[in-house]
Amino acid sequence: AEYMGAQHILEFNLMLRAGRTLRCCAAPWPWTDAGSNINSSLSNRTRVLCLLAGSTSKGDLDAVGRWWRLFPRVSEEGNIAMKDLHNAGLEVVLQTHLFAGFPRTINALSTVHAIGVVRDAHEIAEVSTVSIDQYRATGVEVAEAIYGRVLPQVRAKMNELSPCIEEWFIEHGYGRVLSRVPNVVSLKDRELCAVSAMSGMNVPSQLVSHIRGSLRVGNSRDDVFSILRMTQLIWGSEAQEQADAVWMTFERARY
């Protein structure tokens, strides 16, 4: 595959020319010592996507670049095409504007494009023939999968705060963004990325909502906990303590 970053090509080719594969020469994965891999079946692909989403949300562009540069190793070890990894990476950065705003999303996109994106990877355009009503119908369907029976209460509360927020929440957030290209990033992975994006933002109510949503769309408790345990890699130790406290409160509420 061709890359749009000359330094990226050089580093990648030097590894191969030295007769070493990415698998044998790579350091341990960043989450190995973070207590994040206990009982979890998460793929390296999903973990890197979540780290990318979290660092985009934080606005840490050095970390965004660091995680983006892990994709060749993920490709090598998982036998995944770089095009597919870069498409997924662009998608999770793009969706993070829902949690962290446009400026940090734009800056992260600029960062990864400066590092290098496989030439045949591209952001998937919206279908121009989709109507607002269709986006709203899709938004309701996806939001129901995430919020379950409490969705009517959630929508009522948002409408009470602002009818515009309720409309954008359904039509844009769930109908246009989180429902996008499930063959590129599944709703299961999008929800885990949402957890990662919010784990250090000090928004416990919203974080709990997406913890529940992650479980509702098919992630295991071990997998969700594993993503929360990566908070320290993105946001630091204080944020990790806050995320652990949110998880403990969530777990206690089950019984």
Side-chain angles (χ1 to χ4, degrees):
E2 295 182 74
Y3 295 80
M4 294 176 63
Q7 185 62 32
H8 195 72
I9 298 173
L10 178 61
E11 292 173 358
F12 190 79
N13 285 340
L14 283 174
M15 290 181 190
L16 299 179
R17 288 173 186 172
R20 298 168 295 176
T21 65
L22 288 170
R23 181 180 295 116
C24 72
C25 71
W29 290 104
W31 49 84
T32 302
D33 297 323
S36 169
N37 54 354
I38 299 174
N39 298 326
S40 174
S41 61
L42 288 177
S43 67
N44 294 329
R45 171 189 179 276
T46 295
R47 289 180 182 277
V48 173
L49 290 177
C50 288
L51 288 169
L52 188 60
S55 294
T56 297
S57 182
K58 186 184 179 186
D60 185 345
L61 299 181
D62 288 338
V64 167
R66 184 160 63 252
W67 311 136
W68 191 262
R69 289 184 177 95
L70 287 177
F71 277 139
R73 181 179 172 191
V74 175
S75 174
E76 172 73 11
E77 294 193 7
N79 193 27
I80 306 170
M82 284 293 294
K83 172 187 174 181
D84 295 337
L85 291 170
H86 278 189
N87 277 341
L90 291 171
E91 276 296 314
V92 300
V93 171
L94 187 65
Q95 82 167 41
T96 305
H97 80 275
L98 295 174
F99 315 111
F102 280 97
R104 290 186 174 183
T105 300
I106 292 168
N107 290 342
L109 289 169
S110 296
T111 296
V112 301
H113 278 285
I115 293 169
V117 176
V118 176
R119 288 191 185 277
D120 54 356
H122 57 87
E123 181 181 304
I124 293 88
E126 288 187 338
V127 179
S128 59
T129 57
V130 176
S131 68
I132 295 298
D133 287 343
Q134 287 173 295
Y135 280 129
R136 285 189 65 80
T138 300
V140 170
E141 181 181 343
V142 174
E144 283 178 341
I146 292 169
Y147 290 92
R149 293 179 299 173
V150 303
L151 180 61
Q153 296 96 298
V154 172
R155 294 183 68 181
K157 179 61 176 179
M158 292 206 174
N159 190 65
E160 180 183 330
L161 295 172
S162 167
C164 288
I165 286 291
E166 190 277 334
E167 182 177 341
W168 298 340
F169 168 75
I170 293 295
E171 179 260 310
H172 179 71
Y174 291 95
R176 300 183 79 132
V177 179
L178 296 180
S179 64
R180 278 171 55 85
V181 288
N183 60 314
V184 176
V185 183
S186 67
L187 188 56
K188 287 175 64 175
D189 279 354
R190 286 190 182 275
E191 276 299 284
L192 290 175
C193 286
V195 168
S196 183
M198 290 188 287
S199 64
M201 294 180 70
N202 194 24
V203 287
S205 295
Q206 289 80 8
L207 179 56
V208 166
S209 290
H210 283 276
I211 288 173
R212 289 197 184 102
S214 293
L215 297 172
R216 286 192 178 106
V217 298
N219 289 299
S220 71
R221 274 184 152 70
D222 288 334
D223 289 348
V224 177
F225 178 70
S226 185
I227 293 302
L228 281 174
R229 287 300 303 167
M230 296 201 304
T231 298
Q232 59 192 301
L233 298 176
I234 303 165
W235 300 91
S237 57
E238 184 176 344
Q240 184 65 65
E241 291 176 4
Q242 294 174 352
D244 289 344
V246 169
W247 178 258
M248 289 176 64
T249 300
F250 169 74
E251 285 287 270
R252 284 198 297 267
R254 294 173 54 205
Y255 302 105

